Amino acid sequence: MSKNSMKIGITCYPTYGGSGVVAAELGMQLAQRGHVVHFISSDLPSRLVELNERLWFHAVDMMAYPLFEYPPYALALATKMVEVAESENLDLLHVHYAIPHAISAYLAKQMLAPKTLPVITTLHGTDITLVGNDRSYLPITRFGIEKSDAVTTVSTYLKEATYQELNVKKEITVIPNFVDVNHFHRQYSRPRHQKLAPNGEKLLLHISNFRPIKRVCDVIKIFHAVRKALPAKLVMIGDGPERSKAEYLCRTLGIEHDVCFLGKYGLIEEYLSIADLALMPSALESFGLAALEAMACEVPVIASQVGGLPELVLSGETGYLMPVGDVSAMAEISLRVLRDEALAARLSAESRRRAVEVFSTSKIIPLYEQLYQDVLEETSKQDGV
Ligand code: GMT
């Protein structure tokens, strides 16, 4: 164990979504670097593949009681945070997604006083741009941010959006999302490729939680236009509220036999390794983690020019960015990449290079470790230790 080994509590949503994935990957990376990580959540985060002596999971207990039409999860979480902080002697709590996690952490911290439990909050996107700026949640989101000992965002776009939309004064550090480039790399599988594209069709891919913000019907429409021009197949990974609409659209357009809906499939690298293009036509993305994972597997990304995506996808170098909703521009540029082998090869190589050089775990995880150390030093100064 390293000299500066820390005991870190991590809270996130365990469901299929970017913030839970980042939290789980971060916890696993920190454990590999000698820290002890305790996940405190309603369920095991979907990316958390193993638990061991440095990776622990504590489920939040929810008492069912007929009076509770809306069981108070935030309170049960705060209670569990206190319990784990005491029993495991946590050095700090790192919560992902502001609501309600930053508030539960604040409550836990107050309950533990005079013992100090520094709280770090990472904002991921919809916690600010959708939920946080809704009038019903804005004041409490702002409060959670202001009361955290440190706040990070996953992109510069999100930092600026937080200042603008929530009018917070808190210092915010940008720590971009990261990818384990040893895990996410191209591992070509001929049987898998042949199964999906038996006649050498081009393979397009989309990964998301199928929420309206992902514009999955745009994915289908882009593919439809591509499919009219050349033989192609589409793999859709993930699940969510827009899935049936997307499946219905495929049937209406008569392309249902060329589109494969895999649902919540965990081993996305298997499909990224055989894909020619990834599509992310979202209405908004604060970062776009699935695009980064695609880039690490040498897959160029066609995405919307919105939010934090320009910080990740360099248009013309690692893929292309087009205006939100411009299906024909996205289809046209997809066709250009699919038809031009030299261009596709250049974009693929540059995607991998950028993922490795800018967003790999070796570059990003030390930024979190440094932030934790700074916060611990700062809080121990305040305590007069
Ligand atoms: O809507 C999602 O993609 C899920 C959401 C979440 O918080 O679970 O993702 C957000 O966080 C991801 C990880 O930091 C980012 O990569 C996504 O861009 C962001 N989603 C949006 O901003 C819509």
Side-chain angles (χ1 to χ4, degrees):
M1 220 177 259
S2 79
K3 193 165 107 244
N4 293 326
S5 166
M6 292 172 260
K7 295 192 199 88
I8 301 157
I10 292 187
T11 287
C12 63
Y13 282 109
T15 43
Y16 201 77
S19 58
V21 170
V22 171
E25 294 277 358
L26 174 62
M28 292 190 282
Q29 291 295 327
L30 290 167
Q32 274 178 30
R33 295 167 76 93
H35 305 288
V36 180
V37 177
H38 293 269
F39 281 91
I40 308 166
S41 184
S42 56
D43 214 335
L44 201 61
S46 58
R47 266 290 169 93
L48 196 59
V49 285
E50 63 151 321
L51 297 173
N52 56 44
E53 75 280 5
R54 289 207 293 274
L55 266 179
W56 300 82
F57 169 66
H58 307 263
V60 177
D61 309 311
M62 289 289 293
M63 179 196 175
Y65 185 60
L67 194 65
F68 293 162
E69 194 186 347
Y70 304 105
Y73 176 71
L75 303 185
L77 174 60
T79 309
K80 186 55 98 178
M81 285 169 163
V82 170
E83 188 187 306
V84 177
E86 282 180 327
S87 63
E88 306 298 336
N89 201 17
L90 293 184
D91 292 309
L92 57 93
L93 262 181
H94 185 176
V95 302
H96 293 257
Y97 212 88
I99 293 291
H101 302 151
I103 305 305
S104 302
Y106 171 76
L107 279 178
K109 184 177 167 146
Q110 298 306 310
M111 288 162 76
L112 285 160
K115 190 181 181 307
T116 334
L117 182 66
V119 173
I120 289 124
T121 299
T122 290
L123 307 173
H124 282 270
T126 51
D127 45 354
I128 300 302
T129 54
L130 265 181
V131 184
N133 71 8
D134 186 277
R135 291 307 315 169
S136 54
Y137 288 114
L138 193 148
I140 202 154
T141 305
R142 185 191 287 140
F143 179 81
I145 290 171
E146 297 286 8
K147 292 292 177 190
S148 298
D149 293 281
V151 177
T152 77
T153 56
V154 296
S155 62
T156 303
Y157 154 77
L158 187 58
K159 173 179 172 169
E160 281 157 14
T162 306
Y163 281 132
Q164 267 168 27
E165 297 184 27
L166 268 70
N167 192 24
V168 290
K169 302 283 173 271
K170 186 87 191 166
E171 187 188 337
I172 296 176
T173 306
V174 177
I175 302 187
N177 284 336
F178 55 86
V179 62
D180 180 348
V181 292
N182 297 321
H183 181 73
F184 283 90
H185 64 103
R186 209 159 176 94
Q187 295 157 282
Y188 183 72
S189 153
R190 182 178 289 274
R192 186 169 298 111
H193 197 186
Q194 279 185 336
K195 193 168 174 216
L196 277 167
N199 303 306
E201 294 92 340
K202 294 290 182 188
L203 209 59
L204 286 78
L205 185 126
H206 172 77
I207 305 170
S208 78
N209 48 25
F210 288 53
R211 286 191 284 171
I213 206 164
K214 303 294 176 183
R215 297 184 68 98
V216 283
C217 287
D218 281 8
V219 175
I220 305 298
K221 290 177 196 161
I222 296 164
F223 173 72
H224 180 230
V226 167
R227 172 74 195 79
K228 274 201 249 172
L230 53 76
K233 300 278 182 182
L234 173 66
V235 178
M236 300 285 283
I237 303 183
D239 209 338
E242 298 284 290
R243 177 168 167 179
S244 4
K245 226 196 233 177
E247 293 204 47
Y248 179 74
L249 182 59
C250 289
R251 289 194 293 277
T252 311
L253 297 172
I255 53 171
E256 70 274 27
H257 299 301
D258 293 319
V259 184
C260 172
F261 285 84
L262 288 180
K264 290 184 184 177
Y265 189 77
L267 304 173
I268 56 171
E269 61 279 11
E270 291 179 353
Y271 288 90
L272 285 170
S273 290
I274 53 171
D276 295 294
L277 262 191
L279 301 174
M280 187 178 269
S282 307
L284 188 57
E285 286 296 339
S286 65
F287 183 87
L289 183 65
L292 174 58
E293 292 176 337
M295 286 165 64
C297 294
E298 300 172 40
V299 185
V301 178
I302 307 295
S304 303
Q305 174 117 33
V306 73
L309 278 166
E311 295 171 50
L312 172 63
V313 178
L314 302 184
S315 200
E317 290 178 42
T318 68
Y320 288 93
L321 298 174
M322 295 292 156
V324 175
D326 197 339
V327 168
S328 44
M330 291 190 195
E332 206 175 295
I333 199 66
S334 299
L335 278 169
R336 204 178 125 202
V337 176
L338 295 171
R339 282 175 169 147
D340 183 340
E341 271 183 31
L343 172 63
R346 181 168 61 76
L347 297 172
S348 301
E350 195 52 29
S351 295
R352 171 74 186 174
R353 192 198 62 75
R354 186 162 167 74
V356 171
E357 288 182 11
V358 183
F359 299 103
S360 61
T361 49
S362 61
K363 301 273 189 287
I364 307 297
I365 306 301
L367 304 179
Y368 278 114
E369 287 177 301
Q370 188 58 53
L371 180 78
Y372 296 164
Q373 291 292 351
D374 293 348
V375 167
L376 287 175
E377 269 171 38
E378 192 51 41
T379 44
S380 60
K381 259 192 246 158
Q382 285 163 10
D383 289 350
V385 177

